[in-house]
Amino acid sequence: MGCSGRLLGPAGGRRASLLLTMILFFTYFFSCLPGPCEPLPPALLLPPPAALPAGPGAAGGAGGGSRRFPQAIIVGVKKGGTRALLEFLRAHPGVRAVGAEPHFFDRCYEKGLRWYRSLMPRTLEGQITMEKTPSYFVTKEAPRRIYNMSRDTKLIVVVRNPVTRAISDYTQTLSKNPSIPSFQALAFKNLSTGLIDTSWSAVRIGIYAKHLDNWLQYFPLSKFLFVSGERLVSDPAGEMGRVQDFLGLQRVVTDKHFYFNETKGFPCLKKPEGGSKPRCLGKSKGRPHPKIDGQVVQRLREFYRPFNMKFYQMTGQDFGWD
């Protein structure tokens, strides 16, 4: 999702209402220049932003439910399995999530929190509002911005072997632009010395320990759940059990919800009762990777190893990438 968002309909009505209020206010102000006036009617005073509803139904009413800031956000990482996790979570009746990535805390922050809340689905009491934008994890300003919204936000990070993640990232870019240089050319500053180019985003994203350091300046480790992208494929029900526990949800999404799609190479959701068909991720997921020279892969493994070890220590989890 770009920054244009959903600003028509209820939000457009709010803009018209605000404009009318401003016109009335300035009319009142200039008419009072010659002498004192009565206090401005309370109906024309706008409440502070925190108290202003996000639109019709924001505090209940005919729309059903309220638009709330997300209590949990999937903040990373790109090509780690975030889309799969979000789709699995949306099978839970206690979760309502934005389908597209809002990119509020990295690209659209200047639009303000009311704009952000207007993107959220309405939820009933007891339901959790969620969104996912995996680029948040590598955005320096994102932790502070989310903390300023709510220091109680729960943060989910889906991580994957950084070498295979980088190759998957490159594969996605290659599918959109077949003329880009080879993986090898992009990964190394100097091939003869084996010096890795950490300015390339596909490499930089996988230095998880460095990015987590930035987040821990604002949020304690207890606010994080680190999900294994590999186990999300090999044992989706097991990982989903951990996620549901972390969110304080009943374990509704279990092994009976999944089947393994041999063609795609990852698990999909079974057809729900009364539904039309099974829910599987689109063709952009599960693309075959290009063949990468074994020496290139080995050099990347060596590069990431110390960062992986630090990440294991920081999270208290061994993801088995080495």
Side-chain angles (χ1 to χ4, degrees), residues 143-160:
R144 174 179 53 82
R145 290 170 173 177
I146 294 174
Y147 179 86
N148 287 340
M149 177 188 72
S150 172
R151 64 187 64 184
D152 294 320
T153 309
K154 294 183 177 181
L155 307 163
I156 299 176
V157 187
V158 188
V159 288
R160 180 184 183 188

Side-chain angles (χ1 to χ4, degrees), residues 1-3 17 24 34 50 69 77 90 99 104 188 192 198 206 272 286 289 294 299 312:
M1 178 187 290
C3 293
S17 176
L24 291 171
F69 292 125
V77 299
R90 292 173 82 184
F104 175 66
F188 292 94
S192 60
T198 56
H289 290 177
R299 177 66 191 95
Y312 296 172

Side-chain angles (χ1 to χ4, degrees), residues 19 40 57 64 75 89 103 107 112 131 137 159 164 166-167 209 211 225 255 261 264 273 284 307-308 318:
L19 181 60
L40 195 66
V75 297
L89 276 168
H103 282 284
R107 301 178 190 169
E131 70 117 316
F137 190 63
V159 288
T164 52
I167 296 171
H211 305 304
L225 179 70
D255 54 0
N261 186 307
K264 288 182 173 290
E273 289 185 23
S284 66
F307 297 110
N308 291 345
D318 185 337

Side-chain angles (χ1 to χ4, degrees), residues 175-188:
S175 71
K176 298 174 182 177
N177 183 7
S179 64
I180 62 170
S182 69
F183 180 88
Q184 183 172 300
L186 293 168
F188 292 94

Side-chain angles (χ1 to χ4, degrees), residues 62-75:
S66 306
R67 285 199 175 98
R68 301 180 175 92
F69 292 125
Q71 295 100 322
I73 304 176
I74 301 173
V75 297

Side-chain angles (χ1 to χ4, degrees), residues 41-312:
L44 294 183
L45 296 175
L46 286 174
L52 191 67
S66 306
R67 285 199 175 98
R68 301 180 175 92
F69 292 125
Q71 295 100 322
I73 304 176
I74 301 173
V75 297
V77 299
K78 180 184 179 186
K79 307 309 294 180
T82 59
R83 173 55 60 182
L85 177 61
L86 185 70
E87 291 306 309
F88 296 165
L89 276 168
R90 292 173 82 184
H92 197 295
V95 173
R96 294 295 311 282
V98 182
E101 296 173 4
H103 282 284
F104 175 66
F105 295 105
D106 57 351
R107 301 178 190 169
C108 306
Y109 194 64
E110 73 284 354
K111 289 193 170 289
L113 285 167
R114 282 193 285 182
W115 176 86
Y116 180 54
R117 186 166 57 182
S118 76
L119 303 179
M120 298 300 127
R122 289 190 176 93
T123 52
L124 302 173
E125 194 66 35
Q127 289 184 315
I128 291 177
T129 304
M130 292 190 68
E131 70 117 316
K132 79 104 176 170
T133 305
S135 52
Y136 290 163
F137 190 63
V138 298
T139 299
K140 186 178 180 180
E141 300 81 9
R144 174 179 53 82
R145 290 170 173 177
I146 294 174
Y147 179 86
N148 287 340
M149 177 188 72
S150 172
R151 64 187 64 184
D152 294 320
T153 309
K154 294 183 177 181
L155 307 163
I156 299 176
V157 187
V158 188
V159 288
R160 180 184 183 188
N161 185 317
V163 177
T164 52
R165 197 223 65 82
I167 296 171
S168 181
D169 198 335
Y170 173 79
T171 303
Q172 183 181 57
T173 305
L174 184 66
S175 71
K176 298 174 182 177
N177 183 7
S179 64
I180 62 170
S182 69
F183 180 88
Q184 183 172 300
L186 293 168
F188 292 94
K189 280 186 177 179
N190 188 315
L191 187 58
S192 60
T193 62
L195 186 63
I196 301 294
D197 189 352
T198 56
S199 68
W200 186 32
S201 64
V203 168
R204 189 175 65 252
I205 290 171
I207 309 174
Y208 303 139
K210 177 183 176 182
H211 305 304
L212 181 57
D213 262 335
N214 185 38
W215 285 85
L216 292 178
Q217 294 179 38
Y218 296 90
F219 291 94
L221 200 61
S222 61
K223 291 296 180 184
F224 290 87
L225 179 70
F226 299 94
V227 175
S228 165
E230 287 84 7
R231 287 197 290 271
L232 202 57
V233 172
S234 64
D235 181 20
E239 283 301 279
M240 283 301 300
R242 294 179 60 240
V243 174
Q244 290 168 98
D245 290 348
F246 174 70
L247 295 175
L249 296 169
Q250 184 180 351
R251 287 197 177 196
V252 171
V253 182
T254 63
D255 54 0
K256 68 182 180 183
H257 285 80
F258 300 99
Y259 76 96
F260 192 82
N261 186 307
E262 298 289 348
T263 303
K264 288 182 173 290
F266 51 74
C268 300
L269 289 167
K270 291 180 180 177
K271 183 176 74 172
E273 289 185 23
S276 56
K277 59 181 180 180
R279 287 164 56 187
C280 225
L281 298 181
K283 62 182 181 180
S284 66
K285 307 298 180 182
R287 293 189 186 98
H289 290 177
K291 185 172 176 58
I292 308 296
D293 184 271
Q295 289 185 329
V296 172
V297 172
Q298 183 57 36
R299 177 66 191 95
L300 274 175
R301 284 175 180 161
E302 293 168 359
F303 167 77
Y304 280 121
R305 186 169 291 117
F307 297 110
N308 291 345
M309 292 299 108
K310 184 181 178 184
F311 186 65
Y312 296 172

